[in-house]
């Protein structure tokens, strides 16, 4: 089965907001069963990243563009067409809220057929300190938590057979005894 994975999370001047996505793309670059949607690769975000001049590392010029109003529609489309979403809820740039990520999570909540994997460093204790990660809207949307994107990829590979093109054998009988 083909999987479309959307990489949701903060996009800022902190290089890790880009690098974790690069590592996921690298993990699946030769896998025809997994299609990655990386919002950092949109023309808008690529251009905004080049013209950084704001305190939070984004581009004032890009924010002023008329087309920026289309960003939520584009991201919503990405969420809707994905079958799996990796949500990185690490808050890398504190001056920049995770508002877009929270919208993406709300859109994901609408479709219970999606596999939603939350990424947060430091395990349960660190997640408990993050108001975004511990909010009931988030805890009810995220199906499983991992500490990094490698664990998210491993989870996807393990539970969906994304790394192999062999269908599971059909269940022919079942017994509780």
């Amino acid at each position: 089965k083909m999987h479309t994975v959307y990489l949701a999370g903060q996009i800022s001047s902190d290089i890790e907001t880009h690098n974790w996505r690069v590592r996921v793309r690298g993990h699946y670059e030769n896998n025809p069963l997994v299609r990655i949607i990386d919002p950092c690769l949109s023309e808008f975000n690529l251009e905004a990243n080049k013209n950084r001049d704001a305190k939070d590392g984004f581009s004032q010029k890009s924010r002023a563009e008329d087309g920026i109003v289309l960003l939520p529609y584009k991201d919503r489309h990405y969420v809707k067409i994905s079958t799996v979403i990796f949500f990185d809820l690490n808050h890398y740039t504190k001056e920049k809220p995770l508002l877009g990520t929270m919208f993406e999570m709300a859109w994901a909540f609408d479709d219970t057929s999606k596999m939603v994997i939350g990424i947060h460093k430091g395990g349960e204790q660190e997640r408990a300190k993050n108001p975004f990660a511990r909010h009931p809207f988030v805890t009810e949307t995220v199906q499983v938590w991992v500490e990094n994107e490698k664990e998210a990829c491993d989870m996807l590979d393990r539970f969906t057979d994304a790394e192999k093109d062999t269908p599971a054998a059909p269940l022919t009988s079942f017994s509780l005894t």
Side-chain angles (χ1 to χ4, degrees), residues 97-114:
L98 294 173
L99 190 59
T101 304
M102 293 298 107
F103 267 80
E104 291 167 334
M105 189 160 291
W107 297 324
F109 184 79
D110 279 344
D111 184 350
T112 58
S113 70
K114 294 184 187 316

Side-chain angles (χ1 to χ4, degrees), residues 109-127:
F109 184 79
D110 279 344
D111 184 350
T112 58
S113 70
K114 294 184 187 316
M115 180 182 203
V116 178
I117 300 174
I119 301 170
H120 196 284
K121 293 178 182 144
E124 198 172 326
Q125 287 181 332
E126 286 303 309
R127 271 197 324 274

Side-chain angles (χ1 to χ4, degrees), residues 68-99:
I68 197 168
V69 299
L70 299 176
L71 215 49
Y73 298 96
K74 189 174 196 169
D75 288 355
R76 184 172 186 269
H77 175 71
Y78 290 154
V79 169
K80 293 296 179 185
I81 66 171
S82 65
T83 57
V84 179
I85 304 174
F86 290 178
F87 276 103
D88 183 342
L89 288 176
N90 293 292
H91 199 183
Y92 298 98
T93 305
K94 302 292 187 212
E95 301 82 26
K96 188 173 184 218
L98 294 173
L99 190 59

